[in-house]
């Protein structure tokens, strides 16, 4: 089951998560956000409540680089070209869920 909000603790133990390179996944993760200006505590609490959602990223798993899980929207299998395109680097600790996508062939 994949959660779409981030109120409770993660269902996954991300330290034990094993992903297969070049497989496609949808990753649900909590992002940072910021505002400019000065705010009272009650306003900060209201804004934090509005940000109770997870980002969804879909892509090919390219690897785990020192705690950064990298997912790419493109994968090039040709040996004479770079393999990965448009990488997204997600800190392992921010991930709240992962779904492996089925191959369509």
């Amino acid at each position: 089951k994949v959660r779409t909000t981030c109120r409770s603790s993660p269902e996954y133990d991300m330290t034990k998560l094993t992903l297969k390179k070049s497989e496609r996944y949808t990753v649900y993760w909590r992002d940072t956000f910021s505002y400019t200006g000065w705010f009272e505590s009650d306003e900060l609490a209201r804004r934090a409540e509005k940000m109770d959602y997870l980002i969804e990223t879909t892509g090919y798993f390219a690897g785990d680089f020192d705690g950064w899980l990298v997912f790419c929207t493109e994968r090039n299998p040709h040996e004479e070209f770079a393999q990965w395109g448009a990488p997204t680097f997600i800190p392992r600790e921010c991930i709240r869920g992962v779904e492996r996508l089925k191959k369509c062939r």
Side-chain angles (χ1 to χ4, degrees), residues 1-12 28-29 54 56 96-97:
K1 183 179 177 184
V2 176
R3 292 205 334 259
T4 56
T5 63
C6 28
R7 281 270 174 231
S8 57
S9 62
E11 294 173 5
Y12 288 31
Y28 302 88
W29 58 287
L54 297 176
E56 295 180 19
R96 297 297 184 259

Side-chain angles (χ1 to χ4, degrees), residues 19-23 25 60-63 65 75 83-84:
L19 301 175
K20 292 184 180 181
K21 192 172 184 177
S22 295
E23 293 291 322
Y25 295 90
Y60 295 96
F61 179 60
F65 303 95
R75 183 179 67 86
Q83 184 176 11
W84 303 108

Side-chain angles (χ1 to χ4, degrees), residues 38-65:
W38 293 87
F39 304 93
E40 296 296 335
S41 294
D42 59 340
E43 177 63 19
L44 294 177
R46 280 193 298 276
R47 288 175 185 246
E49 191 173 302
K50 289 181 182 180
M51 303 307 278
D52 184 35
Y53 61 86
L54 297 176
I55 303 298
E56 295 180 19
T57 297
T58 299
Y60 295 96
F61 179 60
D64 182 341
F65 303 95

Side-chain angles (χ1 to χ4, degrees), residues 74-85:
E74 288 96 23
R75 183 179 67 86
N76 185 352
H78 198 283
E79 294 177 6
E80 294 183 22
F81 297 98
Q83 184 176 11
W84 303 108

